[in-house]
Amino acid sequence: ALCVLLYHTHVLFRKDKYFGVDILWGFFEFGHRGVDLFFVISGFLMAMLTHESARKGQSVHFLIARARRIYIPYFPVLAVLSSACLLSKNICPSAYAFDAKTMLMNVFIVPREDLNTFVPVVAWTLAHEIFFYFMTFVSLLFLGVGRIIFFGWLMVSAVIALAGVKLTFPWSFVFSHYNMAFGLGFLAFKLNHAYQDRLPYRPILWVGAIGFISLGFVESFWLESVSHVASLYFTIAFFVVSFLLVLGFVRQPESWIRPLGNASYSIYLVHYPLLVVWCKVVQHFWGSAANATLAFVLVAAMSLAGGALYYRLVERPAMILFGRRPDL
């Protein structure tokens, strides 16, 4: 969430209508790779949850819980942004000027070829997440056959990605290369579960962290326009170092990062509209590129705080209100 927040702050600050500058020479250009890490983390968590659900035979409850986790915090953000766009088209970019069909697609987070029609803009990743939940549900519901379907789907997606095959929609979504990230997250859980404390977790964490930052430097400063295949393999490299990060982190002390982790989904959902608002406000008072770095830190910090506030005031109470009954 922090990577994506810093990336979007960088994107907005680079626009001429705001500050027209690249903070730290454009270092945060690779921040969108937080999405790659997000998918690997998701795969790890789903493997952990399905391990528990498979033992308890709660496949339907698993799907309901995942839908609740995604949609309950999502709907208020969607309602506010959709209302703002319908009231005034000047508030949002042209991509937000959508019809009733697109509105319904946004309500249910239906995948589509044109990613610019998603509201909020980060919801395209949630479409992949929900489809992954569905395939995981299939593996739980049909047990042996379901697992064959699930892991077969992951393997076909990996083969297509490694072969550099470019599919058309909707197959490009069904067999997306992002499925490799989910699969690596699954693998991270299985390795951790199988070997418990026997893995060198801290060295793995350091290799993953150094690899992630190093690839980020390459992408931000040296990687120019490349072929589809080269870009795909670079993304797969990010999947691998993200896998090492996730596997290495599971045995590390977590108390210091737990509050941020709890609020991460809220931060992810609301940060972009907050960034737009704060960029307008700060740019109005700054009026130039002077002190742009300080403005960058201020805008990012206020958007981060806004996401944490959304978690405390909306997501957490709503999840408690609509949470699972004790007997479930």
Coordinates of all heavy atoms in Angstrom, one line a residue, residues 47-116:
A47 N -3.7 -19.3 1.1 CA -3.2 -20.6 1.4 C -3.4 -20.9 2.9 O -3.8 -22.0 3.2 CB -1.7 -20.8 1.0
M48 N -3.1 -19.9 3.7 CA -3.2 -20.1 5.1 C -4.7 -20.3 5.5 O -5.1 -21.2 6.2 CB -2.7 -18.9 5.9 CG -2.8 -19.0 7.4 SD -2.2 -17.5 8.2 CE -3.3 -16.2 7.6
L49 N -5.6 -19.5 4.9 CA -7.0 -19.6 5.2 C -7.6 -20.9 4.7 O -8.5 -21.5 5.3 CB -7.8 -18.4 4.6 CG -7.4 -17.1 5.3 CD1 -8.1 -15.9 4.6 CD2 -7.9 -17.1 6.8
T50 N -7.2 -21.3 3.5 CA -7.8 -22.5 2.9 C -7.3 -23.8 3.6 O -8.0 -24.8 3.7 CB -7.5 -22.6 1.4 OG1 -6.1 -22.5 1.2 CG2 -8.2 -21.6 0.6
H51 N -6.1 -23.7 4.2 CA -5.6 -24.8 5.0 C -6.5 -25.0 6.2 O -6.8 -26.1 6.6 CB -4.1 -24.4 5.5 CG -3.5 -25.5 6.3 ND1 -3.1 -26.7 5.8 CD2 -3.3 -25.5 7.7 CE1 -2.6 -27.4 6.8 NE2 -2.7 -26.7 7.9
E52 N -6.9 -23.9 6.8 CA -7.9 -24.0 7.9 C -9.3 -24.4 7.5 O -9.9 -25.2 8.1 CB -7.9 -22.6 8.6 CG -6.6 -22.2 9.2 CD -6.6 -20.8 9.8 OE1 -7.7 -20.1 9.6 OE2 -5.6 -20.4 10.4
S53 N -9.7 -23.8 6.3 CA -11.1 -24.1 5.8 C -11.2 -25.5 5.4 O -12.3 -26.1 5.5 CB -11.4 -23.1 4.7 OG -11.5 -21.8 5.2
A54 N -10.1 -26.1 4.8 CA -10.2 -27.4 4.3 C -10.4 -28.4 5.4 O -11.1 -29.4 5.3 CB -8.9 -27.7 3.5
R55 N -9.7 -28.1 6.5 CA -9.9 -29.0 7.7 C -11.3 -28.9 8.3 O -11.8 -29.9 8.8 CB -8.8 -28.6 8.7 CG -7.4 -29.0 8.3 CD -6.4 -28.6 9.4 NE -6.5 -27.2 9.8 CZ -5.8 -26.7 10.8 NH1 -5.0 -27.5 11.5 NH2 -5.8 -25.4 11.1
K56 N -11.9 -27.7 8.2 CA -13.2 -27.5 8.8 C -14.4 -27.7 7.9 O -15.5 -27.6 8.2 CB -13.2 -26.2 9.5 CG -12.2 -26.0 10.5 CD -12.2 -24.5 11.1 CE -11.1 -24.3 12.1 NZ -11.1 -22.9 12.6
G57 N -14.1 -27.9 6.6 CA -15.1 -28.0 5.6 C -16.0 -26.8 5.4 O -17.2 -26.9 5.3
Q58 N -15.4 -25.6 5.4 CA -16.1 -24.3 5.4 C -15.9 -23.6 4.1 O -15.6 -22.4 4.1 CB -15.8 -23.5 6.6 CG -16.1 -24.1 7.9 CD -15.8 -23.1 9.1 OE1 -14.9 -22.4 9.0 NE2 -16.6 -23.2 10.1
S59 N -16.1 -24.2 3.0 CA -15.8 -23.6 1.7 C -16.7 -22.4 1.4 O -16.3 -21.3 1.0 CB -15.9 -24.6 0.5 OG -17.2 -25.2 0.5
V60 N -18.0 -22.6 1.7 CA -19.0 -21.5 1.5 C -18.7 -20.3 2.4 O -18.8 -19.2 2.0 CB -20.4 -22.0 1.7 CG1 -21.4 -20.8 1.5 CG2 -20.8 -23.1 0.6
H61 N -18.4 -20.6 3.7 CA -18.1 -19.6 4.6 C -16.8 -18.8 4.2 O -16.7 -17.6 4.5 CB -17.9 -20.2 6.0 CG -19.2 -20.7 6.6 ND1 -19.2 -21.7 7.6 CD2 -20.5 -20.5 6.2 CE1 -20.5 -22.0 7.9 NE2 -21.3 -21.3 7.1
F62 N -15.9 -19.5 3.6 CA -14.7 -18.9 3.1 C -15.0 -17.9 2.1 O -14.5 -16.7 2.1 CB -13.7 -20.0 2.5 CG -12.7 -19.4 1.7 CD1 -11.5 -18.9 2.2 CD2 -12.8 -19.3 0.3 CE1 -10.5 -18.3 1.4 CE2 -11.8 -18.8 -0.5 CZ -10.7 -18.3 0.0
L63 N -15.9 -18.2 1.1 CA -16.2 -17.3 0.1 C -17.0 -16.1 0.6 O -16.7 -14.9 0.2 CB -17.0 -18.0 -1.0 CG -17.3 -17.2 -2.3 CD1 -16.0 -16.9 -3.0 CD2 -18.3 -18.0 -3.2
I64 N -17.9 -16.3 1.5 CA -18.7 -15.2 2.1 C -17.8 -14.3 2.9 O -17.9 -13.0 2.8 CB -19.8 -15.8 3.0 CG1 -20.8 -16.5 2.2 CG2 -20.4 -14.6 3.8 CD1 -21.9 -17.3 3.1
A65 N -16.8 -14.8 3.6 CA -15.9 -14.0 4.4 C -15.0 -13.2 3.5 O -14.7 -12.0 3.8 CB -15.1 -14.9 5.3
R66 N -14.6 -13.8 2.4 CA -13.7 -13.0 1.5 C -14.5 -11.9 0.8 O -14.0 -10.8 0.6 CB -13.1 -14.0 0.4 CG -12.1 -15.0 0.9 CD -10.9 -14.3 1.5 NE -11.1 -14.2 3.0 CZ -10.5 -13.3 3.7 NH1 -9.7 -12.4 3.2 NH2 -10.7 -13.2 5.0
A67 N -15.7 -12.2 0.4 CA -16.6 -11.2 -0.3 C -16.8 -10.0 0.7 O -16.8 -8.8 0.4 CB -17.9 -11.8 -0.7
R68 N -17.1 -10.4 2.0 CA -17.4 -9.3 3.0 C -16.1 -8.5 3.2 O -16.2 -7.3 3.3 CB -17.8 -10.0 4.3 CG -18.1 -9.0 5.4 CD -18.7 -9.7 6.6 NE -17.8 -10.8 7.1 CZ -18.1 -12.1 7.2 NH1 -19.3 -12.5 6.8 NH2 -17.2 -12.9 7.7
R69 N -15.0 -9.1 3.2 CA -13.7 -8.4 3.4 C -13.4 -7.4 2.3 O -12.9 -6.3 2.5 CB -12.5 -9.4 3.5 CG -11.2 -8.8 3.8 CD -11.2 -8.3 5.2 NE -10.0 -7.5 5.5 CZ -9.8 -6.2 5.3 NH1 -10.8 -5.5 4.8 NH2 -8.7 -5.7 5.6
I70 N -13.8 -7.8 1.1 CA -13.5 -6.9 -0.1 C -14.6 -5.8 -0.2 O -14.2 -4.6 -0.3 CB -13.5 -7.7 -1.4 CG1 -12.2 -8.5 -1.5 CG2 -13.6 -6.8 -2.6 CD1 -10.9 -7.8 -1.7
Y71 N -15.8 -6.2 -0.1 CA -16.9 -5.2 -0.5 C -17.3 -4.3 0.6 O -17.7 -3.1 0.2 CB -18.1 -6.0 -1.0 CG -18.0 -6.6 -2.4 CD1 -17.7 -8.0 -2.6 CD2 -18.0 -5.8 -3.5 CE1 -17.5 -8.5 -3.8 CE2 -17.9 -6.3 -4.8 CZ -17.6 -7.7 -4.9 OH -17.5 -8.2 -6.2
I72 N -17.3 -4.7 1.8 CA -17.8 -3.8 2.9 C -17.0 -2.5 2.9 O -17.5 -1.4 2.9 CB -17.8 -4.5 4.2 CG1 -19.0 -5.5 4.2 CG2 -18.0 -3.5 5.4 CD1 -19.1 -6.3 5.5
P73 N -15.6 -2.5 2.9 CA -14.9 -1.2 2.9 C -14.9 -0.5 1.5 O -14.8 0.7 1.4 CB -13.5 -1.7 3.2 CG -13.6 -3.0 3.8 CD -14.7 -3.6 3.1
Y74 N -15.2 -1.3 0.5 CA -15.2 -0.8 -0.9 C -16.4 0.1 -1.2 O -16.3 1.1 -1.9 CB -15.1 -2.0 -1.8 CG -15.3 -1.7 -3.3 CD1 -14.2 -1.1 -4.1 CD2 -16.5 -1.9 -3.9 CE1 -14.4 -0.8 -5.4 CE2 -16.6 -1.7 -5.3 CZ -15.6 -1.1 -6.0 OH -15.8 -0.8 -7.3
F75 N -17.6 -0.4 -0.8 CA -18.8 0.3 -1.2 C -18.9 1.8 -0.8 O -19.3 2.6 -1.6 CB -20.0 -0.4 -0.7 CG -20.4 -1.7 -1.4 CD1 -20.8 -2.8 -0.8 CD2 -20.2 -1.7 -2.8 CE1 -21.2 -4.0 -1.5 CE2 -20.6 -2.9 -3.5 CZ -21.0 -4.0 -2.9
P76 N -18.5 2.2 0.4 CA -18.5 3.6 0.7 C -17.6 4.5 -0.2 O -18.0 5.6 -0.6 CB -18.1 3.7 2.2 CG -18.4 2.4 2.7 CD -18.1 1.4 1.6
V77 N -16.5 4.0 -0.5 CA -15.5 4.7 -1.4 C -16.2 4.8 -2.8 O -16.1 5.9 -3.4 CB -14.2 4.0 -1.5 CG1 -13.2 4.7 -2.4 CG2 -13.6 3.9 -0.1
L78 N -16.7 3.7 -3.3 CA -17.4 3.7 -4.6 C -18.5 4.7 -4.6 O -18.7 5.5 -5.6 CB -17.9 2.3 -4.9 CG -18.7 2.2 -6.2 CD1 -17.9 2.5 -7.4 CD2 -19.3 0.8 -6.3
A79 N -19.3 4.7 -3.6 CA -20.5 5.6 -3.5 C -20.1 7.1 -3.6 O -20.7 7.9 -4.3 CB -21.3 5.3 -2.3
V80 N -19.1 7.4 -2.8 CA -18.6 8.8 -2.7 C -18.1 9.3 -4.1 O -18.4 10.3 -4.6 CB -17.6 9.0 -1.6 CG1 -17.0 10.4 -1.7 CG2 -18.3 8.8 -0.2
L81 N -17.2 8.5 -4.6 CA -16.6 8.8 -5.9 C -17.6 8.9 -7.0 O -17.6 9.8 -7.9 CB -15.4 7.9 -6.2 CG -14.2 7.9 -5.4 CD1 -13.2 6.9 -5.8 CD2 -13.6 9.3 -5.4
S82 N -18.5 7.9 -7.1 CA -19.5 7.9 -8.1 C -20.4 9.1 -8.0 O -20.8 9.7 -9.0 CB -20.3 6.6 -8.0 OG -19.5 5.4 -8.2
S83 N -20.8 9.4 -6.8 CA -21.7 10.6 -6.6 C -21.0 11.8 -7.0 O -21.6 12.7 -7.7 CB -22.1 10.7 -5.1 OG -22.8 9.5 -4.7
A84 N -19.8 12.0 -6.7 CA -19.0 13.2 -7.1 C -18.9 13.3 -8.6 O -19.1 14.4 -9.1 CB -17.6 13.1 -6.4
C85 N -18.7 12.2 -9.2 CA -18.6 12.2 -10.7 C -19.9 12.5 -11.4 O -19.9 13.1 -12.4 CB -18.0 10.9 -11.2 SG -16.3 10.6 -10.6
L86 N -21.0 12.0 -10.8 CA -22.3 12.2 -11.4 C -22.8 13.6 -11.2 O -23.4 14.2 -12.0 CB -23.3 11.2 -10.8 CG -23.2 9.8 -11.2 CD1 -24.1 8.9 -10.5 CD2 -23.4 9.6 -12.7
L87 N -22.4 14.2 -10.0 CA -22.8 15.6 -9.8 C -22.0 16.6 -10.6 O -22.6 17.6 -11.0 CB -22.6 15.9 -8.3 CG -23.5 15.2 -7.3 CD1 -23.1 15.4 -5.9 CD2 -24.9 15.7 -7.5
S88 N -20.8 16.3 -10.8 CA -19.9 17.3 -11.6 C -18.9 16.5 -12.4 O -18.0 15.9 -11.8 CB -19.3 18.3 -10.7 OG -18.4 19.1 -11.4
K89 N -19.0 16.5 -13.7 CA -18.0 15.8 -14.5 C -16.6 16.5 -14.5 O -15.6 15.8 -14.8 CB -18.5 15.7 -16.0 CG -19.7 14.9 -16.2 CD -20.1 14.8 -17.6 CE -21.3 13.9 -17.8 NZ -21.7 13.8 -19.2
N90 N -16.6 17.7 -14.0 CA -15.3 18.4 -14.0 C -14.4 18.0 -12.8 O -13.2 18.2 -12.7 CB -15.5 19.9 -13.8 CG -16.2 20.5 -15.1 OD1 -15.9 20.0 -16.2 ND2 -17.0 21.5 -14.9
I91 N -15.1 17.3 -11.8 CA -14.3 16.8 -10.6 C -13.4 15.7 -11.0 O -12.3 15.7 -10.5 CB -15.3 16.4 -9.5 CG1 -16.1 17.6 -9.0 CG2 -14.6 15.7 -8.4 CD1 -17.2 17.2 -8.0
C92 N -13.8 14.9 -11.9 CA -13.0 13.6 -12.2 C -12.6 13.6 -13.6 O -13.2 14.3 -14.5 CB -13.9 12.4 -11.9 SG -14.4 12.3 -10.2
P93 N -11.5 12.9 -13.9 CA -11.1 12.7 -15.3 C -12.2 12.1 -16.2 O -13.2 11.6 -15.7 CB -9.9 11.8 -15.2 CG -9.5 11.9 -13.8 CD -10.7 12.2 -13.0
S94 N -12.0 12.2 -17.5 CA -13.1 11.7 -18.4 C -13.4 10.2 -18.2 O -14.5 9.8 -18.5 CB -12.6 11.9 -19.9 OG -11.4 11.3 -20.1
A95 N -12.4 9.5 -17.7 CA -12.7 8.0 -17.5 C -13.7 7.8 -16.5 O -14.4 6.7 -16.5 CB -11.4 7.4 -17.1
Y96 N -14.0 8.8 -15.6 CA -15.0 8.6 -14.6 C -16.4 8.9 -15.1 O -17.4 8.8 -14.4 CB -14.7 9.5 -13.4 CG -13.6 9.1 -12.6 CD1 -12.7 10.0 -12.0 CD2 -13.4 7.7 -12.3 CE1 -11.7 9.6 -11.2 CE2 -12.4 7.3 -11.5 CZ -11.5 8.2 -10.9 OH -10.5 7.8 -10.1
A97 N -16.5 9.4 -16.3 CA -17.8 9.7 -16.9 C -18.4 8.5 -17.5 O -18.4 8.2 -18.6 CB -17.7 10.8 -18.0
F98 N -19.0 7.6 -16.6 CA -19.5 6.3 -17.0 C -21.0 6.2 -17.1 O -21.7 7.0 -16.5 CB -18.9 5.2 -16.1 CG -19.0 5.6 -14.6 CD1 -20.2 5.4 -13.9 CD2 -17.9 6.1 -14.0 CE1 -20.2 5.7 -12.6 CE2 -18.0 6.4 -12.6 CZ -19.1 6.3 -11.9
D99 N -21.5 5.2 -17.8 CA -22.9 5.0 -17.9 C -23.4 3.9 -16.9 O -22.6 3.5 -16.0 CB -23.2 4.5 -19.3 CG -22.4 3.2 -19.7 OD1 -21.9 2.5 -18.8 OD2 -22.2 3.0 -20.9
A100 N -24.7 3.6 -16.9 CA -25.3 2.7 -15.9 C -24.6 1.3 -15.9 O -24.4 0.7 -14.9 CB -26.8 2.6 -16.2
K101 N -24.3 0.8 -17.1 CA -23.6 -0.5 -17.2 C -22.3 -0.5 -16.5 O -22.0 -1.4 -15.8 CB -23.5 -0.9 -18.7 CG -22.7 -2.2 -18.9 CD -22.5 -2.5 -20.4 CE -21.7 -3.7 -20.6 NZ -21.5 -4.0 -22.0
T102 N -21.5 0.5 -16.8 CA -20.2 0.6 -16.1 C -20.3 0.8 -14.6 O -19.5 0.3 -13.9 CB -19.4 1.8 -16.7 OG1 -19.4 1.7 -18.1 CG2 -17.9 1.7 -16.2
M103 N -21.3 1.5 -14.2 CA -21.6 1.7 -12.8 C -21.8 0.3 -12.1 O -21.3 0.0 -11.0 CB -22.7 2.6 -12.5 CG -22.5 4.1 -12.8 SD -23.9 5.2 -12.5 CE -24.1 5.0 -10.8
L104 N -22.7 -0.5 -12.7 CA -22.9 -1.8 -12.2 C -21.7 -2.7 -12.2 O -21.4 -3.5 -11.3 CB -24.1 -2.5 -13.0 CG -25.5 -1.9 -12.7 CD1 -26.5 -2.6 -13.7 CD2 -25.9 -2.2 -11.3
M105 N -20.9 -2.5 -13.2 CA -19.6 -3.3 -13.3 C -18.7 -2.9 -12.2 O -18.0 -3.7 -11.6 CB -19.0 -3.1 -14.7 CG -19.7 -3.7 -15.8 SD -18.9 -3.4 -17.4 CE -17.5 -4.5 -17.3
N106 N -18.7 -1.6 -11.8 CA -17.9 -1.1 -10.7 C -18.4 -1.6 -9.4 O -17.7 -1.9 -8.5 CB -17.8 0.4 -10.8 CG -16.8 0.9 -11.8 OD1 -15.8 0.2 -12.1 ND2 -17.1 2.0 -12.4
V107 N -19.8 -1.7 -9.3 CA -20.4 -2.1 -8.0 C -19.9 -3.6 -7.7 O -19.5 -3.9 -6.6 CB -21.9 -2.1 -8.1 CG1 -22.5 -2.9 -6.9 CG2 -22.4 -0.6 -8.1
F108 N -19.9 -4.4 -8.7 CA -19.6 -5.8 -8.5 C -18.1 -6.1 -8.9 O -17.7 -7.3 -8.8 CB -20.5 -6.7 -9.4 CG -21.9 -6.6 -8.9 CD1 -22.9 -5.9 -9.6 CD2 -22.3 -7.3 -7.8 CE1 -24.2 -5.8 -9.2 CE2 -23.7 -7.2 -7.3 CZ -24.6 -6.5 -8.1
I109 N -17.3 -5.1 -9.2 CA -15.9 -5.2 -9.6 C -15.7 -6.2 -10.7 O -15.0 -7.2 -10.5 CB -15.0 -5.5 -8.3 CG1 -15.5 -4.7 -7.1 CG2 -13.6 -5.2 -8.6 CD1 -14.6 -4.9 -5.9
V110 N -16.5 -6.1 -11.7 CA -16.4 -7.0 -12.9 C -15.2 -6.7 -13.7 O -15.0 -5.5 -14.0 CB -17.7 -6.9 -13.7 CG1 -17.6 -7.8 -14.9 CG2 -18.9 -7.2 -12.9
P111 N -14.4 -7.6 -14.1 CA -13.2 -7.4 -14.9 C -13.7 -6.9 -16.3 O -14.7 -7.2 -16.8 CB -12.5 -8.7 -15.0 CG -13.6 -9.7 -14.7 CD -14.5 -9.1 -13.7
R112 N -12.8 -6.0 -16.8 CA -13.1 -5.5 -18.2 C -11.8 -5.1 -18.8 O -10.7 -5.0 -18.2 CB -14.1 -4.3 -18.2 CG -13.6 -2.9 -17.7 CD -13.3 -2.8 -16.2 NE -14.3 -3.2 -15.3 CZ -15.0 -2.3 -14.6 NH1 -15.0 -1.1 -14.8 NH2 -15.8 -2.8 -13.6
E113 N -11.8 -4.9 -20.2 CA -10.6 -4.7 -20.9 C -10.1 -3.3 -20.7 O -8.9 -3.1 -20.6 CB -10.9 -4.9 -22.4 CG -9.6 -5.0 -23.3 CD -9.9 -5.5 -24.7 OE1 -11.1 -5.6 -25.0 OE2 -8.9 -5.7 -25.4
D114 N -11.0 -2.3 -20.6 CA -10.6 -0.9 -20.4 C -10.4 -0.6 -18.9 O -11.4 -0.4 -18.2 CB -11.6 0.0 -21.0 CG -11.2 1.5 -21.0 OD1 -10.0 1.8 -20.5 OD2 -11.9 2.4 -21.4
L115 N -9.2 -0.6 -18.4 CA -8.9 -0.4 -17.0 C -9.3 1.0 -16.5 O -9.4 1.3 -15.3 CB -7.5 -0.8 -16.6 CG -7.0 -2.2 -17.0 CD1 -5.6 -2.4 -16.5 CD2 -8.0 -3.2 -16.3
N116 N -9.4 1.9 -17.5 CA -9.6 3.3 -17.1 C -11.1 3.6 -16.6 O -11.4 4.7 -16.2 CB -9.4 4.2 -18.3 CG -7.9 4.3 -18.7 OD1 -7.0 4.3 -17.8 ND2 -7.6 4.2 -20.0

